[in-house]
Amino acid sequence: MVAALELYLDVDTTRRVRTLWRALEAEGIPSLGSLHQRHRPHLSLAAAHRIDPQAVTAALDGFPVGRGLTVGIDFVGQFVGRVLWLGVTVTEELLAHHRAVHERLTAGGVEVWDHYRPGLWVPHCTISMRVPNPMMAPAIRRCLEYLPMRATVVGAGVADHANDINQPL
């Protein structure tokens, strides 16, 4: 199970990512869209097995999480375990925002996985959690057809779909 503090993307970018999810599905490649029907395209700022939405809300009270950020989605990557993602170009503004969020989470006692902490985090938009090995190259080629994208963050929330949690911030 995974819970995450997610940044949600503008309508046009969300539509493009969902279209990519459907294109992959049509080729027999599972996407995040089919993993849980409630998934929406996002960038995760923090993740853990469990995250208390009330603790996150309290820790970030008064802080405009993600509001006003514009990001470039410019490349494709993969993590060990057949995870395919669209890469977000790192900017000082994005890193400073991420750092500020984590300072508040830490002060509020919210525990997250180390690889989401400042200095280790890889900003990305997950496309699939389980691309079959023989399908990875075709999946990457399909993703490249949708790039580049310019996205504006329009909201944030804590999501834990396994436990039916979707708490807007």
Side-chain angles (χ1 to χ4, degrees):
M1 289 183 245
V2 174
L5 169 54
E6 301 176 342
L7 297 181
Y8 301 118
L9 308 173
D10 62 86
V11 171
D12 184 54
T13 305
T14 295
R15 185 179 314 118
R16 288 181 71 189
V17 172
R18 287 186 188 279
T19 300
L20 171 57
W21 285 350
R22 286 189 299 275
L24 291 170
E25 293 285 341
E27 295 177 29
I29 301 166
S31 76
L32 203 61
S34 63
L35 185 60
H36 290 288
Q37 295 303 313
R38 288 166 275 162
H39 271 296
R40 51 192 284 201
H42 66 275
L43 310 177
S44 294
L45 289 179
H49 287 293
R50 288 191 171 273
I51 296 178
D52 178 357
Q54 285 72 32
V56 171
T57 299
L60 297 173
D61 186 41
F63 185 76
V65 180
R67 300 299 195 281
L69 283 177
T70 299
V71 298
I73 302 173
D74 299 307
F75 58 98
V76 180
Q78 67 183 97
F79 293 127
V80 173
R82 306 176 313 163
V83 177
L84 180 66
W85 44 270
L86 302 179
V88 175
T89 299
V90 174
T91 63
E92 186 53 43
E93 178 185 27
L94 179 60
L95 293 178
H97 187 80
H98 180 255
R99 194 175 314 108
V101 166
H102 276 266
E103 287 169 358
R104 286 166 176 75
L105 293 176
T106 299
V110 178
E111 297 287 327
V112 301
W113 289 329
D114 285 342
H115 57 278
Y116 277 88
R117 294 190 183 283
L120 299 174
W121 177 59
V122 176
H124 65 281
C125 176
T126 302
I127 297 301
S128 178
M129 301 287 287
R130 53 190 182 184
V131 178
N133 286 329
M135 298 301 290
M136 187 60 79
I140 289 170
R141 281 193 298 276
R142 178 65 68 204
C143 288
L144 289 170
E145 294 172 2
Y146 288 78
L147 299 180
M149 293 185 216
R150 191 113 176 110
T152 301
V153 175
V154 296
V158 175
D160 179 347
H161 300 298
N163 292 301
D164 202 28
I165 295 170
N166 189 354
Q167 175 68 45
L169 296 178

